[in-house]
Amino acid sequence: MTVNSEDSWHLSKSVPITLIFGLLIQAGAIVWTVSMMIGDIQDNKDDLIAVQARLERVEDAVHNQAVSMARIDENIKAIRQAVERMIERQQNAAYEPPN
């Protein structure tokens, strides 16, 4: 197969320079847009890492608060039982069976 010079691709002189300039501007805009998107994606990735670290700290704080609440609950139960025993002793001491 022979390639004829008339069949090969070429740019005609009738193509306006403004079209070529417009295509170059459009290509530059696409490259700029993609680079901005990549930057935004990286910023979002960094933000996600920071949010995950913060979430871990919050989860630790919530866990520690739950443990503290459980301890407080147990202390309240022990205090209540001690107070009830003291009341029972006072009632038993105040009540003396008749002789």
Side-chain angles (χ1 to χ4, degrees):
M1 179 171 172
T2 60
V3 176
N4 190 337
S5 66
E6 292 177 11
D7 293 339
S8 65
W9 187 90
H10 63 281
L11 187 60
S12 169
K13 291 183 181 183
S14 65
V15 175
I17 192 76
T18 55
L19 177 65
I20 295 171
F21 182 70
L23 290 174
L24 289 174
I25 294 293
Q26 192 172 25
I30 290 171
V31 168
W32 179 76
T33 301
V34 169
S35 69
M36 292 298 292
M37 286 174 52
I38 290 171
D40 289 344
I41 289 169
Q42 185 62 41
D43 290 344
N44 288 343
K45 180 181 174 185
D46 295 342
D47 289 345
L48 281 174
I49 291 170
V51 167
Q52 285 175 339
R54 186 174 175 200
L55 178 62
E56 288 175 8
R57 289 192 305 269
V58 169
E59 286 175 342
D60 289 343
V62 167
H63 175 70
N64 291 337
Q65 287 177 350
V67 169
S68 294
M69 291 296 292
R71 288 180 181 158
I72 290 170
D73 230 15
E74 290 300 316
N75 287 338
I76 289 172
K77 286 179 187 177
I79 291 169
R80 181 178 292 144
Q81 289 171 352
V83 168
E84 287 173 355
R85 283 193 303 267
M86 287 172 38
I87 290 172
E88 280 181 26
R89 276 190 235 137
Q90 284 178 349
Q91 288 175 349
N92 288 341
Y95 175 74
E96 294 181 16
N99 291 354

